[in-house]
Amino acid sequence: MPAAILGLVSALVYGSADFVGGLAARAIGPLRTTALGAVGGLALLLLALPFVGGTWSTPALGWGAASGAVGAAAVALLYACLAIGPMSILSPLTAVVSAIVPMVWGLVGGDRFAPIGYVALGLALVAVVLVGFVPERGAVRPSARALGMAVAAGALIGVFLIMLDQTPADSGLVPLVANRTVNAAIMWTIVGVLAARGVTRRLPRRGLLLALGSGLLDASANVLILLGLRAGDLTTMSVLVALYPAGTIVLAAFVLRERIAPVQWIGLVLAVAAAGMLAVA
């Protein structure tokens, strides 16, 4: 039960991070938003580390650092494919792939469920598609390049989860500190290169605060995922974390008064049902 609850909550927090990050990206651009968010998340983890603790070891640092590099590549591909569009197809495709890759890894690795658990996994995958569907007028068939980038982004997100699952149980927040350090280094290197080439933008205070806020939420989601992986199994966490668009659409409805499409409501209901079934599987 704890893993199912943590998985669903982490998805909502992840989605909230995407929502806040999206607002920041409108003001200062996606690269600077990601770079500043990495710093905000790292600061939160460093503050929490003395209280949570964790054993510093080569596996903890190695898997954490590798997941940071993979996460940076995943975000870059995700932004790139969504910029090409259409989001209504590419967004749920990315989410589904991000669930399937670690789910298959977990099942091959020995994750087992009661019959209701396998039904719940299928239901959760359907929910991922419906929740991630973004109604879009005039949407066209995506290009092979956009589809390939969406699949690659989803696969890398799945690999990120697999890598976190490999971290030692006694490592606490150490892997996430390594993850965020590498991620910040990569993103700030890119921002620095662009600045050296004269590609700069004004940094309004609102955008700065939103970017830092998105980083805090993203790091919090990572902590919840790590706790869920250690309390449960990779298969359960992977399908529930892939429901992250739920947090985005719920916040968009409350803050921006955006309408939640009927198909997304169905997805949200299925998501809660799937989480409940996995909790007792």
Side-chain angles (χ1 to χ4, degrees):
M1 184 176 293
I5 294 173
L6 286 168
L8 199 56
V9 174
S10 65
L12 293 173
V13 177
Y14 249 137
S16 301
D18 285 349
F19 174 79
V20 176
L23 295 179
R26 294 180 185 179
I28 63 176
L31 286 177
R32 294 172 75 179
T33 295
T34 307
L36 287 167
V39 173
L42 179 59
L44 176 65
L45 292 170
L46 289 174
L47 287 173
L49 185 60
F51 301 98
V52 178
T55 301
W56 294 79
S57 64
T58 300
L61 292 172
W63 285 114
S67 69
V70 168
V75 169
L77 280 170
L78 179 61
Y79 281 152
C81 77
L82 293 181
I84 297 173
M87 289 187 182
S88 58
I89 296 175
L90 299 178
S91 179
L93 174 61
T94 300
V96 168
V97 174
S98 75
I100 290 177
V101 169
M103 184 182 77
V104 171
W105 181 277
L107 291 174
V108 172
D111 290 346
R112 294 293 181 265
F113 301 89
I116 190 175
Y118 293 103
V119 174
L121 291 176
L123 197 64
L125 289 177
V126 174
V128 168
V129 176
L130 298 181
V131 169
F133 180 76
V134 182
E136 191 175 356
R137 291 183 179 179
V140 296
R141 182 178 179 181
S143 65
R145 177 168 172 261
L147 287 172
M149 293 170 72
V151 171
L156 287 177
I157 294 172
V159 171
F160 164 79
L161 292 174
I162 293 172
M163 287 180 168
L164 282 187
D165 191 48
Q166 303 303 308
T167 59
D170 63 350
S171 58
L173 297 182
V174 172
L176 295 182
V177 171
N179 168 289
R180 198 61 50 159
T181 300
V182 170
N183 190 283
I186 292 173
M187 297 311 303
W188 279 105
T189 298
I190 296 173
V191 170
V193 170
L194 293 176
R197 293 181 178 180
V199 183
T200 59
R201 290 185 61 177
R202 185 172 59 88
L203 190 63
R205 182 182 178 185
R206 180 174 180 272
L208 170 63
L209 293 176
L210 285 171
L212 292 174
S214 70
L216 295 177
L217 288 168
D218 186 72
S220 299
N222 283 340
V223 172
L224 291 170
I225 289 172
L226 195 60
L227 292 174
L229 289 171
R230 291 172 181 172
D233 55 80
L234 176 62
T235 302
T236 296
M237 289 301 295
S238 64
V239 296
L240 293 178
V241 171
L243 291 163
Y244 61 85
T248 305
I249 64 173
V250 169
L251 270 183
F254 281 101
V255 178
L256 302 180
R257 304 300 185 200
E258 291 186 3
R259 176 176 171 270
I260 299 179
V263 66
Q264 291 175 311
W265 277 116
I266 296 173
L268 290 172
V269 172
L270 292 180
V272 174
M277 293 165 68
L278 284 170
V280 299

